[in-house]
């Protein structure tokens, strides 16, 4: 029994999900003839109260399409320094859009309305044109922490007042919604575009959906093609996404509970210096001085448990659909046997 806690992307489709995929009606989506992709796009758009959706192979692509649609070369994106779009997408803002960034040193990946206001450039030829604000909820490198919806409303208001486009990297938006008790519909009005991943906690094998207005998604469809993301009979993948949305949202709470249990266990271990507050399904903890994260990660791997060491002292664990109660028990047992 291998236990993989490196990421919530490691899940395999369930039997029921695979059956749904096998029975999907498909067509050529570049001709906009795949009924299942169209159904998925409409479903997610409706959930969030947006006009239209665009199914893409990855969350990186939905984010990058959004930035491309929202900017002209030289425009500036206001974004937190640990954001996936800036930190983990291979310099895509520059590569794909030729856009500039203004970084915010936020609180565990989160920014505030004041952070945004302070970074809007004056209308002066010396400065890039401030164009887009991007927020991430939950924050991946922030350890899965969530925004307070009131802060999102303030950020949205500042963006509207200053004619800035607001993008949400919602790779794990359902973790945030389940945690905070909000509905997707409450998010729609706050953002110009939203990226939703189906392949993280929701457990689909592939895919993300970009949401926005009809006009924005029409332009996004063109960019997706240029990026090489126009798919043909992708409905098999979209069917998995529909299944995940119908069946795997409420159960995210179980992932959060398991993460809490792990966090409590870790807090009691002598080799752990600090466990960062756990809000959803991501656990970050720091090793006691003199120990490195990779020593623990190697030990865990010898015991068939996979974890990630993020930097010298920090280890990350992520709970998910394929991490059951037995695995939780075994993980806690093995964690207790590490001799720091
Ligand atoms: C995983 C992730 C993405 C997209 O990742 P892909 O692997 O390209 O699907 C985007 N944003 C955040 C915050 C993520 O965690």
């Amino acid at each position: 029994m291998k236990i993989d806690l490196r990421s919530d992307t490691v899940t395999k489709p369930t039997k029921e999900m695979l059956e749904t995929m096998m029975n999907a009606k498909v067509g050529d989506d570049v001709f906009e003839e795949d009924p299942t992709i169209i159904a998925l796009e409409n479903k997610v758009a409706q959930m969030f109260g947006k006009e239209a959706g665009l199914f893409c192979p990855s969350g990186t692509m939905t984010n990058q399409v959004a930035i491309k649609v929202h900017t002209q070369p030289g425009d500036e994106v206001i974004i937190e320094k640990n954001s996936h779009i800036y930190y983990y997408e291979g310099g895509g803002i520059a590569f794909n859009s030729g856009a500039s960034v203004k970084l915010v040193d936020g609180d565990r990946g989160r920014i505030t309305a004041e952070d945004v206001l302070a970074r809007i450039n004056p209308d002066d030829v010396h400065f890039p044109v401030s164009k887009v604000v991007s927020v991430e909820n939950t924050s991946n490198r922030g350890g899965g922490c969530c925004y307070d919806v009131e802060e999102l409303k303030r950020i949205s208001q500042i963006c509207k007042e200053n004619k800035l486009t607001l993008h949400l990297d919602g790779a794990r938006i359902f973790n945030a919604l389940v945690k905070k008790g909000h509905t997707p519909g409450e998010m729609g009005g706050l953002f110009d575009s939203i990226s939703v991943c189906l392949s993280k906690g929701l457990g689909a094998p592939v895919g993300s959906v970009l949401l926005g207005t009809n006009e924005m998604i029409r332009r996004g469809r063109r960019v997706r093609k240029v990026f090489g993301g126009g798919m043909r009979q992708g409905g098999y993948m979209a069917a998995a996404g529909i299944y995940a949305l119908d069946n795997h949202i409420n159960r995210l709470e179980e992932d959060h509970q398991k993460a809490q249990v792990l966090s409590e266990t870790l807090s009691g271990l002598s080799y752990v210096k600090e466990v960062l507050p756990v809000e959803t399904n991501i656990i970050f903890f720091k090793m006691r001085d003199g120990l490195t994260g990779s020593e623990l990660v190697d030990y865990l791997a010898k015991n068939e448990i996979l974890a990630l060491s993020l930097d010298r002292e920090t280890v990350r664990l992520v709970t998910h659909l394929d991490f059951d109660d037995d695995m939780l028990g075994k993980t806690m047992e093995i964690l207790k046997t590490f001799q720091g």
Side-chain angles (χ1 to χ4, degrees), residues 148-196:
D148 179 0
V149 74
E150 293 307 317
E151 193 60 50
L152 293 176
K153 285 180 185 165
R154 281 191 286 271
I155 293 172
S156 178
Q157 187 58 33
I158 292 289
C159 288
K160 286 193 174 98
E161 284 167 15
N162 293 277
K163 297 200 165 43
L164 297 168
T165 305
L166 181 57
H167 174 70
L168 169 65
D169 179 352
R172 294 188 180 81
I173 187 60
F174 284 107
N175 294 88
L177 294 173
V178 165
K179 168 71 188 180
K180 294 283 192 184
H182 294 296
T183 61
E186 289 173 75
M187 296 292 115
L190 302 179
F191 301 97
D192 297 291
S193 57
I194 302 179
S195 162
V196 179

Side-chain angles (χ1 to χ4, degrees), residues 58-60 63 84 89 136 138 140 169 171-172 197 199-200 208:
S58 70
T60 298
N63 281 332
H84 197 279
E89 295 184 9
E136 185 175 307
T138 70
N140 178 337
D169 179 352
R172 294 188 180 81
C197 283
S199 61
K200 299 278 166 79
S208 289

Side-chain angles (χ1 to χ4, degrees), residues 74-76 121-130:
D75 286 348
E76 196 154 84
N121 291 330
D123 183 9
D124 171 326
V125 292
H126 291 88
F127 304 115
V129 177
S130 303

